[in-house]
Amino acid sequence: LRDVTSETEAEMTRKLKNLEKEASVVQEIQIQNDKLRENFEMAESQIEDLKQRLDEAMGAEDMIEQLSEKNSTLFQGELNDELEENHSETEKQLQADINAKDNRIRGHQKKIDTLEENLADYENTILQFRELVTHLQGDLEQLRQKEESQGGIGSQSQTVMNLNYQLQSTAMKAQAKAIDLELRKLDALQANDNLTMVQPYLPDGYFKTDNDSVQCLLLVKRLSFKAELMNKHLEQQYGVSEKIAQGTFAAELVSICEVRQKLGWFGDMAKRFTSFIEGCSVESFIKMGQVYHDLLGTERRLNNWVEQLRKEELKELE
């Protein structure tokens, strides 16, 4: 029982250190959150400036009307048409700038809300895990005292097993939270990439020729990210490096290594596609739009595996 207790304490200490490392990642996310807030405030300032420019343009419209009345006898038709066209172009340009800034603000605000929600959930999970570890340590100390005074090993061993099961269940929930956090981080990065790519394509022709190609580029980036995500969590879940260092080569470990090797190959292939699309000619880029619809099924299968990994239901042999 002492050996089991010592191993349990060591395992809890290791998991607590891992959670503290993850807490440092949360701090980095908080820093990113602060930067996004600064960008949000800057965008608001730019919108106020654009609104002021629009007000000035409205004032210029009044001046144009006065000048039109004074010179109606000389330039009745031509001058009015020219002034109206200039005013219309200026108003359209200002309105387009305001709409673009509004879209960026909504995108930044959405990312800020998502990161704040993830941060709160993650901090709550870490706090609960620490409280559980403290509680289990107290229970283990009581078991030691009972063992020394009563020697009731059977019931105490069962209690230790129950406590260990609770600890494992909490660790599984923490892993699911970590996967959700990284997937949401991917969504935020994808939204920012999509906004940056779409902004230069204001004409309607963009949606007819370039939209599928841009979506294809974003899709292969997602495939690469999710493959690396699965690879990393399989390593953490099964402790592959540690078992290999110990010389343990069970059948399950071999299967995990094969899965990780295939995921690594798949992720590298997606990165090659990404590099090609980002550097190819315009003609080749437009043709890549045809690949987008072919790869949607691949992403759905990968999403299914990620969900199974998150729920601890992934069957590596299959």
Side-chain angles (χ1 to χ4, degrees):
L1 182 58
R2 287 192 186 93
D3 294 338
V4 173
T5 302
S6 299
E7 291 177 358
T8 304
E9 285 182 342
E11 180 69 16
M12 288 189 296
T13 302
R14 183 181 66 82
K15 293 181 178 179
L16 183 58
K17 290 181 179 179
N18 290 337
L19 285 174
E20 289 176 350
K21 291 180 180 178
E22 294 175 354
S24 64
V25 175
V26 173
Q27 293 178 355
E28 294 178 0
I29 294 176
Q30 185 63 42
I31 294 175
Q32 295 179 359
N33 189 10
D34 295 338
K35 291 182 179 179
L36 289 176
R37 285 185 181 276
E38 293 177 0
N39 293 336
F40 178 75
E41 294 174 357
M42 184 180 299
E44 285 185 335
S45 175
Q46 293 176 352
I47 283 183
E48 291 297 329
D49 182 64
L50 289 174
K51 288 181 178 178
Q52 183 177 0
R53 290 172 57 187
L54 184 59
D55 293 337
E56 293 175 357
M58 297 299 294
E61 181 182 8
D62 295 336
M63 295 178 62
I64 290 172
E65 292 177 356
Q66 295 176 4
L67 291 173
S68 298
E69 292 176 358
K70 292 180 181 179
N71 298 291
S72 60
T73 56
L74 298 176
F75 309 101
Q76 183 65 38
E78 182 179 355
L79 183 59
N80 287 338
D81 293 340
E82 183 178 357
L83 291 175
E84 182 64 26
E85 183 179 356
N86 291 337
H87 170 69
S88 177
E89 290 296 328
T90 302
E91 185 176 1
K92 288 180 180 179
Q93 182 178 0
L94 292 174
Q95 188 62 43
D97 291 340
I98 291 175
N99 292 337
K101 295 296 182 182
D102 287 340
N103 291 333
R104 292 184 62 185
I105 289 174
R106 284 194 293 268
H108 287 311
Q109 185 62 45
K110 182 178 179 180
K111 288 189 288 185
I112 290 172
D113 295 340
T114 301
L115 291 174
E116 287 180 347
E117 180 183 354
N118 294 339
L119 180 62
D121 292 341
Y122 212 58
E123 289 178 347
N124 185 40
T125 301
I126 293 174
L127 180 61
Q128 293 178 357
F129 191 78
R130 287 177 175 172
E131 291 177 354
L132 178 60
V133 170
T134 303
H135 177 69
L136 291 177
Q137 288 177 342
D139 291 342
L140 290 174
E141 183 62 28
Q142 293 179 2
L143 287 176
R144 290 196 196 95
Q145 295 177 0
K146 289 182 180 180
E147 180 187 0
E148 294 175 356
S149 59
Q150 299 177 3
I153 297 178
S155 60
Q156 295 172 8
S157 299
Q158 183 64 37
T159 303
V160 171
M161 292 175 62
N162 293 336
L163 293 175
N164 189 34
Y165 176 79
Q166 294 178 5
L167 182 60
Q168 292 177 353
S169 177
T170 304
M172 290 169 59
K173 293 179 180 179
Q175 177 178 336
K177 287 286 185 180
I179 293 177
D180 289 337
L181 179 62
E182 295 194 43
L183 288 175
R184 291 180 183 179
K185 187 191 301 182
L186 169 64
D187 293 337
L189 293 174
Q190 289 275 290
N192 189 34
D193 289 344
N194 191 13
L195 177 63
T196 303
M197 294 177 182
V198 167
Q199 280 180 341
Y201 297 94
L202 295 179
D204 294 337
Y206 161 75
F207 297 98
K208 297 179 181 179
T209 58
D210 300 291
N211 184 57
D212 286 347
S213 299
V214 172
Q215 294 301 322
C216 181
L217 176 58
L218 296 176
L219 187 144
V220 294
K221 286 185 176 182
R222 291 196 300 270
L223 294 178
S224 175
F225 182 92
K226 293 175 183 179
E228 292 180 357
L229 174 66
M230 289 187 63
N231 212 332
K232 180 175 68 175
H233 281 279
L234 285 174
E235 162 67 24
Q236 295 177 353
Q237 180 176 349
Y238 292 95
V240 177
S241 299
E242 297 178 359
K243 292 180 179 179
I244 292 177
Q246 295 172 359
T248 304
F249 300 102
E252 181 185 32
L253 180 63
V254 174
S255 299
I256 296 299
C257 290
E258 291 180 355
V259 172
R260 294 186 67 235
Q261 187 270 337
K262 293 180 180 179
L263 285 172
W265 176 87
F266 182 79
D268 291 339
M269 182 64 66
K271 289 180 179 178
R272 290 180 61 187
F273 267 100
T274 301
S275 300
F276 170 77
I277 297 174
E278 291 177 342
C280 67
S281 63
V282 176
E283 292 77 10
S284 297
F285 180 78
I286 294 176
K287 290 181 180 179
M288 289 304 298
Q290 303 173 2
V291 183
Y292 169 65
H293 299 283
D294 297 335
L295 291 179
L296 289 176
T298 302
E299 186 180 28
R300 283 194 293 268
R301 288 195 295 271
L302 193 60
N303 289 340
N304 184 39
W305 293 335
V306 171
E307 182 65 17
Q308 292 178 7
L309 178 62
R310 191 180 70 85
K311 296 180 179 179
E312 298 289 336
E313 297 176 354
L314 183 65
K315 299 179 180 179
E316 295 80 3
L317 292 176
E318 296 180 3

